[in-house]
Amino acid sequence: MFTSESEIMLTILVSTVLLLFFCGVVIYFLFKYQRKRYSHQQEVFELKESFNKILLNSKIQIQEQTLDHISKELHSNIGQLASLININLSELLHKTEEKEIVIETKALAKSLLSELKSISTALNTDYIMKVGFEKALKNELNRVSKTIKYPVNFNVKGNAFSLGPEKEIILFRLCQEVINNVIRYAQASEMNVNLDYDNDSIKLAIEDNGIGFDIDSVKKNREKNSSTGLLNIEKRAKVINANVNIVSKINYGTKVSLLISR
């Protein structure tokens, strides 16, 4: 009887050990499978992110080539035509009695030529690389301030440093996108641009006192309304690893803040 009970206890003990061993093996292989699956998903995600970044970089390069081509066309072709118009008007001035009209038209042609030159410069990638981001942004703000006829304040703090030509070109185009949105939609009476060099990073803020907008609503409906402004800003910021924050309140204006590391 004692022997039988011992055998039963031994059988139970061995069965328990075997069951625990089997459960441990199952848990081990499940853990290993989940880890391998997670690693695979991570690799797929990284490959997808890498592909999207390469694709976005290619699109930006194509855009830069297109803008550079437009810049040269404006300068060489349309600019020359505007110059010829001005020359012909000078000739006409000596042969007509309507001198005031000709003089006024000459002034308009001169303004057109000046504006074409400014736009050509703003689109020219080589120019941005040559003068650097800060000066290119200052020139762009000077150009648009003549068009919008309200104050554009540009404040710079800290010791300037370069982010490198590629980053600076993308950052400049991003700023152009924001400034263009302010001009087109904000209905503002003032714009403030603050550039702060802080050790190894740049803080940039573009703020207006316009009508503002509902950010959540715009993001939700941007595909439906074919709105690409915010999307372009986010995409360009992503390419240069910049943190972008957009704060807007209806009737209180909008502020776009960027933080970019070297």
Side-chain angles (χ1 to χ4, degrees), residues 72-118:
K72 289 177 172 62
E73 287 294 311
L74 284 172
H75 184 267
S76 61
N77 294 335
I78 301 177
Q80 286 180 6
L81 287 173
S83 296
L84 288 172
I85 290 170
N86 206 24
I87 291 170
N88 289 341
L89 287 169
S90 295
E91 291 293 327
L92 185 62
L93 185 61
H94 303 293
K95 301 176 183 179
T96 181
E97 295 179 358
E98 302 293 338
K99 295 187 184 298
E100 289 185 4
I101 296 175
V102 175
I103 291 170
E104 185 179 348
T105 308
K106 270 177 63 63
L108 290 172
K110 187 177 180 180
S111 297
L112 172 63
L113 188 59
S114 177
E115 184 63 19
L116 284 172
K117 186 177 179 181
S118 297

Side-chain angles (χ1 to χ4, degrees), residues 130-177:
K130 182 180 178 181
V131 303
F133 168 73
E134 184 183 323
K135 188 172 180 180
L137 179 59
K138 183 178 180 180
N139 290 342
E140 178 71 0
L141 292 171
N142 287 336
R143 183 184 72 82
V144 299
S145 64
K146 296 173 184 176
T147 306
I148 55 181
K149 306 298 182 184
Y150 58 72
V152 178
N153 306 307
F154 184 42
N155 304 302
V156 182
K157 293 181 180 178
N159 298 317
F161 59 82
S162 174
L163 293 169
E166 292 184 356
K167 272 190 174 183
E168 291 192 348
I169 288 167
I170 294 171
L171 180 59
F172 179 71
R173 298 300 181 209
L174 191 157
C175 290
Q176 282 184 314
E177 188 79 45

Side-chain angles (χ1 to χ4, degrees), residues 3-97:
T3 304
S4 177
E5 288 180 356
S6 297
E7 289 176 352
I8 292 170
M9 290 296 294
L10 182 61
T11 302
I12 292 171
L13 181 62
V14 170
S15 299
T16 302
V17 171
L18 288 172
L19 181 62
L20 289 172
F21 174 76
F22 177 74
C23 289
V25 169
V26 171
I27 290 170
Y28 170 76
F29 280 107
L30 281 173
F31 173 77
K32 193 172 182 181
Y33 169 76
Q34 288 294 337
R35 189 174 179 180
K36 190 174 181 180
R37 184 182 175 189
Y38 173 78
S39 178
H40 174 70
Q41 289 176 340
Q42 192 69 20
E43 287 177 3
V44 170
F45 175 77
E46 288 174 359
L47 284 171
K48 188 176 180 181
E49 283 292 299
S50 177
F51 173 76
N52 288 336
K53 194 167 184 178
I54 292 170
L55 184 63
L56 186 56
N57 275 323
S58 298
K59 287 181 178 178
I60 288 173
Q61 286 177 4
I62 292 169
Q63 287 174 357
E64 285 302 319
Q65 290 171 1
T66 304
L67 290 173
D68 202 45
H69 176 71
I70 292 170
S71 168
K72 289 177 172 62
E73 287 294 311
L74 284 172
H75 184 267
S76 61
N77 294 335
I78 301 177
Q80 286 180 6
L81 287 173
S83 296
L84 288 172
I85 290 170
N86 206 24
I87 291 170
N88 289 341
L89 287 169
S90 295
E91 291 293 327
L92 185 62
L93 185 61
H94 303 293
K95 301 176 183 179
T96 181
E97 295 179 358

Side-chain angles (χ1 to χ4, degrees), residues 189-224:
S189 60
E190 185 177 5
M191 187 195 311
N192 293 301
V193 180
N194 297 310
L195 178 60
D196 186 3
Y197 294 96
D198 183 19
N199 295 325
D200 289 333
S201 64
I202 288 178
K203 297 174 183 177
L204 178 67
I206 302 175
E207 187 175 8
D208 67 75
N209 63 348
I211 59 174
F213 62 94
D214 186 335
I215 295 176
D216 293 332
S217 177
V218 170
K219 286 185 176 181
K220 186 177 179 181
N221 298 316
R222 64 185 172 191
E223 289 184 6
K224 180 180 177 182

